[in-house]
Amino acid sequence: MIPAYLIADSPRKAFGLSFLLCLFCCGVILFIVAPITGLSRDFGAGNDGYIQIARNLVAGNGYVFEKDGPPVFHRPPIYPLFLVPIAMFPTDLQRYVIVFPQSLLVGFIGMLIFKIAHRLFNTEIAKLALLCFLINPWVYWNAKNPMTALLQTFWYLLFVYRTVMELCSQADRGQLRSSVFIGTAGAALALSHG
């Protein structure tokens, strides 16, 4: 058994723990590790061009990597649109600003992992599933970078959660009540990563 004081024991606490732990770990990476190691000097370089697309959308240049460049057809639109508010900040602040919305995604992911595991198994398995998620260092690495992994994971889990909830309660109703919601989550998922 996992002691309650070590890991969240409700969806709300799972959200809070995941969100705060992500903010803390990203803060350590950005304010302690990066200055010492030179990590992340050029924010957005080598991250598939999503932040560049968002910056060009803000500048009115269209869905392109660079001004007067060809239109981008091989990057799905949901993540660049998610980054548009971040791209409105000065370039030197964007590396810090992205941490907050990405940490919110981590919070929702932690909550959904807890809810799915609790629904399918029990509270102890839900705690263990959340713990496995939170000890993965790539969660925090991705939260500080303009990469689609967290948004895509959020849509996957939302899709799975709604599907699990419907399948578990389908016997009572005989029909899928929230098929529109499931379809919307699936469409957003398809548009969040190639």
Side-chain angles (χ1 to χ4, degrees), residues 18-55:
S18 302
F19 172 68
L20 293 174
L21 188 60
C22 187
L23 280 178
F24 174 77
C25 290
C26 287
V28 169
I29 292 169
L30 291 173
F31 296 109
I32 297 172
V33 176
I36 293 170
T37 63
L39 179 73
S40 299
R41 286 184 195 174
D42 188 18
F43 177 70
N47 293 129
D48 296 332
Y50 290 106
I51 193 69
Q52 288 80 3
I53 295 171
R55 288 172 181 161

Side-chain angles (χ1 to χ4, degrees), residues 7-153:
I7 194 77
D9 58 358
S10 72
R12 186 178 193 175
K13 290 179 183 176
F15 172 86
L17 176 64
S18 302
F19 172 68
L20 293 174
L21 188 60
C22 187
L23 280 178
F24 174 77
C25 290
C26 287
V28 169
I29 292 169
L30 291 173
F31 296 109
I32 297 172
V33 176
I36 293 170
T37 63
L39 179 73
S40 299
R41 286 184 195 174
D42 188 18
F43 177 70
N47 293 129
D48 296 332
Y50 290 106
I51 193 69
Q52 288 80 3
I53 295 171
R55 288 172 181 161
N56 278 293
L57 286 171
V58 169
N61 299 328
Y63 203 78
V64 296
F65 288 127
E66 56 192 22
K67 186 178 181 179
D68 299 326
V72 176
F73 293 108
H74 56 292
R75 294 291 184 269
I78 296 290
Y79 194 64
L81 292 175
F82 174 81
L83 292 176
V84 162
I86 294 153
M88 291 179 181
F89 284 85
T91 306
D92 57 336
L93 293 179
Q94 291 173 8
R95 78 175 65 243
Y96 306 107
V97 173
I98 196 171
V99 169
F100 185 78
Q102 300 256 89
S103 293
L104 282 174
L105 285 174
V106 169
F108 283 115
I109 290 167
M111 180 184 72
L112 288 167
I113 287 171
F114 187 92
K115 287 176 113 174
I116 292 167
H118 187 266
R119 175 72 176 166
L120 293 177
F121 302 103
N122 59 40
T123 302
E124 290 304 312
I125 297 298
K127 289 179 187 180
L128 184 61
L130 181 62
L131 181 64
C132 289
F133 170 66
L134 293 176
I135 63 171
N136 182 352
W138 289 110
V139 170
Y140 314 110
W141 182 261
N142 281 313
K144 67 166 199 59
N145 290 316
M147 298 172 66
T148 62
L150 294 175
L151 186 64
Q152 184 183 12
T153 301

Side-chain angles (χ1 to χ4, degrees), residues 152-194:
Q152 184 183 12
T153 301
F154 167 76
W155 286 116
Y156 267 122
L157 288 174
L158 191 59
F159 180 82
V160 167
Y161 175 71
R162 287 308 312 162
T163 302
V164 165
M165 293 304 292
E166 284 301 313
L167 292 177
C168 288
S169 62
Q170 187 176 8
D172 298 336
R173 292 190 313 274
Q175 63 184 5
L176 288 177
R177 177 182 59 183
S178 62
S179 57
V180 171
F181 185 85
I182 292 170
T184 302
L189 172 60
L191 293 172
S192 68
H193 196 274

